[in-house]
Amino acid sequence: MECRVLSIQSHVVRGYVGNKSATFPLQVLGFEVDSINSVQFSNHTGYAHWKGQVLKAEELNVLYEGIKVNNVNHYDYILTGYSRDTSFLETVVDIIQELKNTNPSLVYVCDPVMGDHGAMYVPEELLPVYKEKVVPLADILTPNQFEAELLTGKKIKTEEDAVAVMDLLHKMGPKTVVLTSTDLPSKHGDQFLVALGSQKIDGTNTSQKICMDIPKVDAVFVGTGDLFAAMLLAWTHNHPKDLKTACEKTVSVMHHVIKRTITYANEMAGPGKRPSPAQLELRMVQSKADIENPAMVVEAEVLQNSSN
């Protein structure tokens, strides 16, 4: 069966972020991807210079109307990421609502991009829109620790806190929640970061909880969160009742892409020099084989199934 994704994210001419990070890997894994570009920039904003245009809410509506009048507005998945405008986000919500009415089995994968390490990098007025309108529609949610704390109003200091926060997020709507990164200490030491996931088990009041220790890489990459959400969409589609395998494959793809990128960036920069943003652009095309069939580099630990 053909599987079609509507991805509403940013676009860059050069490099990999937003739709550029999500589209190729999804296509490689057999998905049809329709993309709406929320912005069109020359490159991501981590460079010294960038130029471009931002799509307005009414322009988004016009594009959607075009899809609708041609009666090609049937989707199996919706994927959204970074947005910094409340009216744009509310229009996205309206579109998702309508698409879910058209196809009740549609799955909405939402990366609620708001900030990291205790600081918001979108306007604060987006938080209530995410809380009250976006998250209740989401089926799969991929916040980092800070975003999960913002959405639930609860701090994560222990693994128990993280489990409680994931359960609170389930109560808000999403059946699957993955905390893509946390500040929790890894039992393997400070070279690893801890990610956790939780998936509600159909027809029960319980959920499968998993924990992963992911090897850290000492560099700042852009577009990795967008790749993570896209890969989680793909691998949960292929393993719908097995969050453990879906997360292991997602994290393994990330690992291979990042490893290839840092190796290339260091070679290009030369000994003792820090790679530039251009050199650190994800090596996406070169990672095609890893995206299709990732060698597993992490094993997720299953935490006790817990009642929500």
Side-chain angles (χ1 to χ4, degrees):
M1 273 295 291
E2 188 167 280
C3 208
R4 193 170 283 273
V5 181
L6 176 64
S7 181
I8 306 174
Q9 300 195 65
S10 33
H11 170 80
V12 286
V13 176
R14 173 64 182 255
Y16 291 93
V17 69
N19 274 332
K20 284 284 289 286
S21 252
T23 305
F24 175 75
L26 283 169
Q27 287 171 329
V28 157
L29 290 169
F31 293 81
E32 285 285 356
V33 184
D34 293 3
S35 18
I36 293 179
N37 298 327
S38 54
V39 307
Q40 173 170 263
F41 287 167
S42 52
N43 43 267
H44 72 69
T45 57
Y47 284 71
H49 311 281
W50 51 273
K51 297 185 181 301
Q53 301 82 34
V54 177
L55 195 72
K56 298 185 180 74
E58 51 273 27
E59 294 168 327
L60 169 62
N61 247 328
V62 167
L63 289 174
Y64 177 65
E65 284 302 316
I67 293 166
K68 204 163 100 176
V69 293
N70 286 308
N71 198 26
V72 287
N73 60 333
H74 184 95
Y75 290 99
D76 304 288
Y77 286 90
I78 296 179
L79 177 60
T80 66
Y82 178 75
S83 176
R84 55 169 304 111
D85 178 74
T86 45
S87 63
F88 189 90
L89 195 54
E90 283 171 337
T91 304
V92 169
V93 167
D94 293 342
I95 290 170
I96 294 167
Q97 196 87 65
E98 189 170 309
L99 290 171
K100 281 199 163 202
N101 293 342
T102 310
N103 174 20
S105 63
L106 179 143
V107 173
Y108 171 31
V109 181
C110 170
D111 185 4
V113 182
M114 288 182 283
D116 207 352
H117 305 302
M120 283 185 82
Y121 42 60
V122 301
E124 278 178 25
E125 54 266 27
L126 260 71
L127 179 57
V129 182
Y130 272 113
K131 247 181 172 160
E132 292 152 28
K133 297 182 176 177
V134 180
V135 174
L137 279 177
D139 300 283
I140 299 175
L141 193 72
T142 61
N144 59 32
Q145 174 174 330
F146 176 61
E147 290 156 349
E149 290 173 339
L150 282 176
L151 290 167
T152 58
K154 184 175 165 55
K155 286 268 183 252
I156 296 174
K157 294 198 164 61
T158 64
E159 191 179 279
E160 293 70 37
D161 293 340
V163 166
V165 162
M166 290 192 291
D167 285 340
L168 284 171
L169 290 168
H170 284 316
K171 287 196 172 77
M172 291 168 75
K175 200 180 122 182
T176 302
V177 175
V178 177
L179 302 182
T180 56
S181 63
T182 68
D183 299 327
L184 296 175
S186 165
K187 54 186 172 304
H188 298 299
D190 59 6
Q191 291 309 296
F192 289 79
L193 70 80
V194 175
L196 296 102
S198 177
Q199 185 169 54
K200 285 171 82 170
I201 297 161
D202 284 342
T204 71
N205 200 28
T206 59
S207 55
Q208 186 197 38
K209 299 271 195 310
I210 59 145
C211 176
M212 292 174 293
D213 295 275
I214 304 171
K216 280 183 187 172
V217 178
D218 178 30
V220 177
F221 300 96
V222 178
T224 45
D226 308 318
L227 176 61
F228 188 99
M231 290 299 87
L232 191 65
L233 183 162
W235 294 116
T236 51
H237 175 78
N238 291 331
H239 305 279
K241 291 183 168 46
D242 184 0
L243 184 65
K244 179 179 186 293
T245 301
C247 284
E248 286 169 348
K249 288 193 173 181
T250 297
V251 168
S252 295
V253 169
M254 302 295 299
H255 176 82
H256 296 303
V257 173
I258 285 170
K259 208 93 184 118
R260 182 171 285 107
T261 302
I262 194 71
T263 302
Y264 171 83
N266 285 334
E267 273 172 21
M268 295 306 289
K273 292 210 177 78
R274 280 194 90 75
S276 68
Q279 289 163 339
L280 284 167
E281 290 284 8
L282 296 178
R283 303 293 283 166
M284 199 73 81
V285 173
Q286 297 78 4
S287 302
K288 177 177 174 286
D290 291 319
I291 293 165
E292 288 176 292
N293 188 15
M296 302 295 243
V297 296
V298 291
E299 181 163 11
E301 175 195 345
V302 178
L303 307 173
Q304 288 313 101
N305 285 357
S306 61
S307 294
N308 295 321

